[in-house]
Amino acid sequence: MDPLVRESPDGLLALDDEGIVRFANPAAGRLMGWPVGTLTYRPFDSVFHRDDKFLAVDLLEDLVASAAGQVQATLRAGRDTERVRVLDVVVRDTRADPTLGGFIVTIRDATVRTERERDLRHRIAHDQLTGAVSRGEFLERVDAAVADPRGAHRLGLLFVDVDHFKLVNDQFGHHVGDQTLISVCRLLERSVRDGDIVARFGGDEFVALLRNVPSPEELLEAGSRLVDQVRLHGQVDQEVLAVTVSVGAAMNEGDDAASLLRRADHALLDAKRRGRDRVAAAPVEAD
């Protein structure tokens, strides 16, 4: 074995024309969790994670069918380990090269990069204070939900505002204000069901998208549960200042996302006009 190949930090595989591993350097074994001697004479797709088997098959088929000469993909290591290793895999078609033949595969560890990318996506999609879905992510999910004909007619939206939140910040400081928002968010999550989407919409506002809502009354009950829970458990500094919320509720009536949010927001304003600490329903719009 060439010393450069043997000492390379990149995994290297040589496949024959049928996609069978004929050579593997030590780095390939380390990266993929296989002893080097057990990699050879295996089909290419069998050396990766079982859930990525068909991706590996597609990778070779795409290369053979195209004139690109090279394809790449991100696949997972084939052996079960405590930490799943993610690999950048590049396959070059060397069948026309009489000194090489078959295919040459280069493998690099992409675990750290993919974890950083996943963490970044999570930070973008979630509010850093409460952990709830972010405003931008929520709007995308509402857009998708109202466009789905299978369940759009059974969507409900709750628009939540913490009453007199500025007083909490002014009297107790921003730390207590932050804890209040976190508490309200947790109570909202407990007032809806698994699979419903809770988001911090901005400042002291939260929204929840409920799926498969049987009736407007069910949506109002969810809003009432939140109002009651916050009234019971949302007090700041014992009983010096009690926290309450106002909630607007709107069922989807063939709205687009913006219209559904607007109707729930109007219902929220109605709840505030009627004294706060309550839920109000958006009126049914005439055709």
Side-chain angles (χ1 to χ4, degrees), residues 13 15 18-21 32-34 38-58 60 75-80:
L13 302 176
L15 314 180
E18 302 302 318
I20 304 299
V21 178
M32 304 181 75
W34 294 87
T38 62
L39 274 172
T40 51
Y41 303 107
R42 288 180 175 274
F44 175 63
D45 59 276
S46 72
V47 301
F48 294 99
H49 192 282
R50 60 182 176 273
D51 292 341
D52 288 352
K53 176 183 176 69
F54 294 109
L55 293 177
V57 171
D58 291 343
L60 277 184
L75 303 174
R76 287 167 292 178
R79 283 293 184 91
D80 291 330

Side-chain angles (χ1 to χ4, degrees), residues 162-181:
V162 181
D163 296 329
H164 304 298
F165 180 69
K166 186 175 183 298
L167 292 178
V168 178
N169 273 336
D170 290 347
Q171 186 168 349
F172 298 97
H174 289 283
H175 173 71
V176 173
D178 287 348
Q179 292 306 309
T180 299
L181 294 175

